Amino acid sequence: MLSLAVLVSGGGTNLQALIDAIRQNKLPGVSIEVVISNKPEAYALVRAKQAGIRTELILKKDYESRQAFGDALLGLLKKYNVDLVVLAGCLFIIPEQVIQGYKNRIINIHPSLIPAFCGNGFYGLKVHEAALARGVKITGATVHFVDEGCDTGPIILQKPVEVFEDDTAETLQKRVMEEAEWIILPEAVRLISENRVHVRDSRVYIDRT
Ligand code: GRF
């Protein structure tokens, strides 16, 4: 059994993709033990409750230091016996002790083909605005392991998506979600649950046999 914690801050459509994949028996042996949010109003929390998944709120302002916030997050992950942490629209920075404690056991979904349009400040619609401003013809999404940097960890899966001339950031965001994010995030979780994802020298190798 692979126990997940899904960390969210917003709408939770990627969380929903995981919930749906589990319901459709596409992720045998995977369960979402807890959904953790830093925003009380995140719609992702409603989705979790509707699916009968336990939820936790973790607010940075309740802790006097980054260290204390990190310890609290680690405590939650231990409490739910989490094997894999999935950042699905999680807009808070994961403290270092959590990254070290869960080395190559934290994954993130990013709405571009890394290394394009990633790093500090590239989140949400800003990623798609930057892609349109640069005039790229192809964008996409990336699932990667989380390391101490911002969007710098080993890449697990990527999927390209075409950019149309009449796209707005909103239409492009929607297409990237539908055609890439909601597909590769559950797929990455499945590959990890089947023990087929290996990291060597900062590169991911997938056992396809
Ligand atoms: C997605 O575009 C994801 O790639 C990014 O944040 C957005 C979250 O959307 N990290 P949702 O909350 O899953 O709907």
Side-chain angles (χ1 to χ4, degrees):
M1 200 72 189
L2 188 79
S3 299
L4 309 188
V6 183
L7 274 54
V8 298
S9 301
T13 62
N14 280 287
L15 165 67
Q16 191 67 53
L18 290 170
I19 292 171
D20 293 347
I22 290 171
R23 274 210 190 116
Q24 294 157 12
N25 291 322
K26 290 179 182 162
L27 296 176
V30 174
S31 76
I32 304 175
E33 291 301 314
V34 62
V35 169
I36 302 174
S37 175
N38 67 326
K39 296 260 191 261
E41 71 279 11
Y43 189 70
L45 290 172
V46 176
R47 295 179 191 273
K49 283 176 189 148
Q50 281 169 352
I53 300 167
R54 289 169 293 184
T55 62
E56 298 273 359
L57 265 182
I58 185 158
L59 308 179
K60 209 123 152 264
K61 68 171 174 57
D62 290 343
Y63 302 92
E64 58 193 13
S65 65
R66 233 182 125 54
Q67 178 76 30
F69 176 71
D71 288 345
L73 182 54
L74 263 183
L76 281 179
L77 300 177
K78 295 257 147 67
K79 173 177 164 190
Y80 289 93
N81 280 316
V82 170
D83 301 310
L84 181 72
V85 179
V86 179
L87 310 187
C90 168
L91 290 180
F92 58 95
I93 293 166
I94 305 301
E96 229 173 89
Q97 75 259 48
V98 180
I99 293 172
Q100 280 156 10
Y102 281 78
K103 192 167 162 51
N104 292 336
R105 291 196 294 148
I106 307 177
I107 64 173
N108 180 49
I109 174 87
H110 183 79
S112 74
L113 294 174
I114 289 175
F117 314 118
C118 65
N120 279 329
F122 286 99
Y123 60 89
L125 276 179
K126 288 177 196 292
V127 177
H128 305 291
E129 282 162 5
L132 289 177
R134 184 62 186 86
V136 293
K137 305 300 184 195
I138 300 285
T139 184
T142 302
V143 180
H144 63 93
F145 284 113
V146 173
D147 65 7
E148 283 80 1
C150 188
D151 298 330
T152 52
I155 291 170
I156 304 168
L157 293 176
Q158 294 189 299
K159 194 168 191 297
V161 173
E162 198 178 342
V163 180
F164 299 153
E165 288 182 356
D166 60 355
D167 263 329
T168 61
E170 287 80 6
T171 61
L172 186 56
Q173 179 182 53
K174 184 165 178 280
R175 189 169 335 102
V176 168
M177 284 178 158
E178 290 171 352
E179 293 183 9
E181 295 185 43
W182 302 341
I183 297 165
I184 62 173
L185 184 60
E187 174 69 3
V189 170
R190 186 180 65 80
L191 291 166
I192 291 169
S193 75
E194 293 171 351
N195 229 341
R196 288 159 62 186
V197 177
H198 309 284
V199 185
R200 279 197 309 273
D201 298 331
S202 302
R203 280 183 68 182
V204 165
Y205 296 84
I206 297 175
D207 187 353
R208 301 275 185 193
T209 54

